[in-house]
Each structure stands twice: as C-alpha cells, then as structure tokens.
Amino acid sequence: MKTKTISPDKAKEIIKANKYKFFTAHFIKANNEKRILNCMVGKKYTPKTNKKQPYDPNKYNLLKVYDLKIKDFRIINFNTLYKLNINKTKYKIKQNV
C-alpha cells in the first residue's frame, strides 16, 4: 500500500467527507506525547453540562471526533497531525513549516 503525502487541510477534507467511517489518526498531544486514535466523525456530541464551549475548534484547526476505544469524544489537532489511515489508504501529513 502506497503512502500519499497531503496537507493538514486536505486531511481535514478527507475526514469530513468520510462521515461515519472509521479511521486512525496519529498526532502529537499538547504535552508533546504521541497519540494514536481509532475514531470517527459524524456522531452527535451531547455536552455533559449546559455550558457553552469557550472557543470555536475550527479557529484553532481542531476537530471533535468520537474515540472508539474509550467511547467518548476527543479533539484532533491538525497542526500536529502527522499520519492518517482511512479507507485502506495511508496518508503522511506534511505540515507547513
């Protein structure tokens, strides 16, 4: 299987176009640890409190996804995303330096 190189914006497009399909995202967390998520987009998020979200994830290049392992929502940071596997295709993410 060949690996394709894409931009973070293209990765976001691919993920959003594949709603309800499982994918694996590899990225660096805020504390500089690597994280691998098996997840999906499209599942409806219901807040646990009545508080409004304090920021817009789109403004920070973030995307809310459903983590299949812990069965809860996580946030993917496209600024630190480095690998994506979706639809039997592997993508390497080239960050704009």
Side-chain angles (χ1 to χ4, degrees):
M1 187 182 313
K2 189 174 180 182
T3 302
K4 298 178 182 180
T5 302
I6 58 173
S7 70
D9 291 335
K10 183 67 176 171
K12 193 184 293 188
E13 284 177 32
I14 291 169
I15 290 170
K16 287 182 176 183
N18 285 283
K19 224 176 197 184
Y20 302 110
K21 291 191 179 176
F22 302 143
F23 64 93
T24 304
H26 302 247
F27 63 98
I28 309 293
K29 296 176 7 179
N31 65 0
N32 289 326
E33 289 180 23
K34 290 184 178 181
R35 171 168 279 167
I36 300 172
L37 285 182
N38 292 313
C39 49
M40 65 179 274
V41 293
K43 187 169 173 79
K44 179 77 172 130
Y45 176 72
T46 307
K48 293 178 174 83
T49 66
N50 290 332
K51 292 182 180 177
K52 188 176 182 284
Q53 191 168 11
Y55 62 92
D56 178 9
N58 291 322
K59 289 183 180 177
Y60 297 98
N61 212 15
L62 306 172
L63 179 67
K64 197 176 296 177
V65 298
Y66 185 74
D67 185 338
L68 299 166
K69 184 177 179 183
I70 65 163
K71 298 184 179 8
D72 204 356
F73 287 87
R74 300 270 188 186
I75 299 245
I76 291 177
N77 184 347
F78 283 92
N79 297 324
T80 62
L81 183 69
Y82 61 91
K83 195 185 324 181
L84 175 68
N85 301 337
I86 190 167
N87 286 338
K88 299 180 183 176
T89 305
K90 293 183 179 185
Y91 297 98
K92 181 181 176 190
I93 314 304
K94 182 174 169 103
Q95 296 295 336
N96 302 333
V97 189

